[in-house]
Amino acid sequence: EAKRSGPGHWRQFTSDLSETQQRRVQLERRLRAALQAQRGHDQGFSVHYQPIVGLAGRQAVAFEALARWHDAELGWVSPLEFIRVAEESGLIHDLGAIVLHCALRQGRAWSEAWNQPVSMSVNVSSTQLMRCDFLEQVMSALEVTGAAASSLILEITEAVVIQDVELVNSRLQALRDRGIRVALDDFGTGFSSLAVLGTLPIDVLKVDRLFVKDVAQNARRQALLAAVILLGHRLGITVVAEGVEETSELEVLQILGCTHVQGYLFARPLPPAQISGPAHLNLAEPVTAPHNTRAAD
Ligand code: C2E
Ligand code: MG
Ligand code: MG
Ligand code: MG
């Protein structure tokens, strides 16, 4: 931390900056190396899966794929850090392709093992979506892995909306025309939330944990959550509450008519070997079915 005053102040400040820059450069170098080494191998990157739970059936209706990276030099690096570097350096296209293939392959394996369709929800950066060959890449991933288009959900964030809205809409519509679903992730943390809902062709709305955290003790958050859930349902969109950690949060969500949740209360993101089936959840106690729940799917 920089000192408040004295001759050391600037030196301290600039050395902090360069540490950040050094880390950035190192991350990009290691990320590039890892992506090259990845070809044909299984080192460096992996994908963990977190259930998206339908409260009506009390089991996973989909699994969100979350990228994990362990580097020999850097150790475990958070996706919050390496995804940003990957986006800024253009490496996100290769990384995104790895995650997509991995998730679709896993989804297909599970659907065969469990003898039922399994949906996979995969995060997509706006730079990926905006690339002109994105649809082709997704269709090829579906073909190579043998996964059904209807088993794929692509999660985008409000960041796409600062792009050309018409173009984004046509990209999303093209995906949906093929039977792929689109989710709007981290809803409520971006800029034009309401405008986005009025225009974007989406199937799922993921309400950010910001609105879920301590909702039982926070009347304002409760009001916002109630409105978003109602709005989503009125628009025919499935609303998923993200980051549910506490039973008290779940109780409020159920009272507000929320049908789908995701969070540590049910399961952490796990390596696939640790997931035994769609009902593999932390819950010892059955969740009480709310009176006003709509059919799950
Ligand atoms: P996200 O898409 O919003 O994913 C949810 C994040 O919340 C994950 O963090 C997950 O581990 C965490 N989470 C889940 N339940 C809870 C909970 O109950 N409490 C709390 N506090 N957190 C919870 P993670 O895995 O660190 O990923 C962070 C972000 O990195 C993701 O946020 C997503 O934006 C991005 N990301 C991860 N994998 C990929 C990827 O393959 N591609 C792209 N483009 N982005 C990715
Ligand atoms: Mg997500
Ligand atoms: Mg999210
Ligand atoms: Mg989030």
Side-chain angles (χ1 to χ4, degrees):
E1 223 172 82
K3 286 177 196 145
R4 246 169 277 157
S5 59
H9 180 109
W10 279 108
R11 207 181 51 221
Q12 190 97 34
F13 184 62
T14 47
S15 91
D16 277 0
L17 256 192
S18 80
E19 244 173 64
T20 310
Q21 286 166 339
Q22 273 169 31
R23 169 91 178 161
R24 170 74 176 71
V25 169
Q26 190 187 25
L27 274 167
E28 186 177 331
R29 181 172 56 77
R30 297 300 299 166
L31 205 49
R32 200 177 292 279
L35 284 166
Q36 267 155 19
Q38 184 81 14
R39 300 186 199 290
H41 302 276
D42 205 27
Q43 14 167 269
F45 299 103
S46 57
V47 181
H48 284 189
Y49 299 92
Q50 186 181 33
I52 297 170
V53 180
L55 292 174
R58 265 191 291 119
Q59 56 173 337
V61 297
F63 291 85
E64 180 171 5
L66 293 157
R68 296 291 179 261
W69 180 36
H70 185 271
D71 180 70
E73 272 179 31
L74 301 160
W76 287 102
V77 183
S78 162
L80 292 173
E81 196 179 15
F82 72 77
I83 292 292
R84 208 181 124 187
V85 175
E87 282 169 349
E88 289 168 2
S89 58
L91 295 171
I92 193 68
H93 300 288
D94 285 348
L95 179 55
I98 289 173
V99 175
L100 183 62
H101 278 82
C102 201
L104 289 175
R105 219 177 290 122
Q106 187 60 62
R108 173 143 188 231
W110 276 338
S111 71
E112 280 165 10
W114 305 341
N115 202 24
Q116 60 174 274
V118 175
S119 290
M120 303 306 268
S121 207
V122 180
N123 293 284
V124 166
S125 298
S126 60
T127 51
Q128 286 175 272
L129 182 71
M130 285 304 105
R131 227 163 99 145
C132 56
D133 62 351
F134 180 67
L135 180 65
E136 256 170 70
Q137 285 184 359
V138 173
M139 295 314 292
S140 133
L142 287 169
E143 204 182 308
V144 168
T145 58
S150 59
S151 74
L152 179 60
I153 304 164
L154 294 176
E155 299 193 6
I156 57 159
T157 65
E158 285 171 289
V160 299
V161 183
I162 56 169
Q163 319 268 344
D164 179 349
V165 178
E166 298 272 303
L167 184 61
V168 171
N169 279 357
S170 72
R171 285 285 151 85
L172 297 183
Q173 200 48 59
L175 290 161
R176 294 177 87 215
D177 288 344
R178 271 124 181 125
I180 297 162
R181 281 166 289 168
V182 176
L184 186 58
D185 203 356
D186 303 333
F187 181 74
T189 60
F191 294 106
S192 48
S193 305
L194 278 181
V196 169
L197 275 192
T199 52
L200 275 197
I202 55 166
D203 305 281
V204 179
L205 188 65
K206 301 189 75 175
V207 185
D208 197 79
R209 165 165 164 75
L210 194 70
F211 298 93
V212 175
K213 192 180 184 314
D214 301 327
V215 70
Q217 295 86 264
N218 188 318
R220 273 182 191 235
R221 241 169 250 180
Q222 224 170 96
L224 287 168
L225 207 47
V228 171
I229 291 167
L230 187 66
L231 190 57
H233 289 171
R234 287 293 293 271
L235 292 168
I237 295 169
T238 302
V239 179
V240 178
E242 285 193 298
V244 180
E245 292 184 359
E246 305 289 337
T247 314
S248 62
E249 293 165 355
L250 177 64
E251 279 165 6
V252 173
L253 283 162
Q254 289 192 287
I255 290 166
L256 299 179
C258 185
T259 58
H260 293 78
V261 292
Q262 184 178 357
Y264 296 165
L265 180 64
F266 300 90
R268 292 197 169 246
L270 292 168
Q274 284 182 37
I275 296 174
S276 57
H280 183 111
L281 306 171
N282 286 335
L283 297 174
E285 302 281 312
V287 181
T288 351
H291 308 294
N292 49 352
T293 297
R294 298 187 180 200
D297 268 346

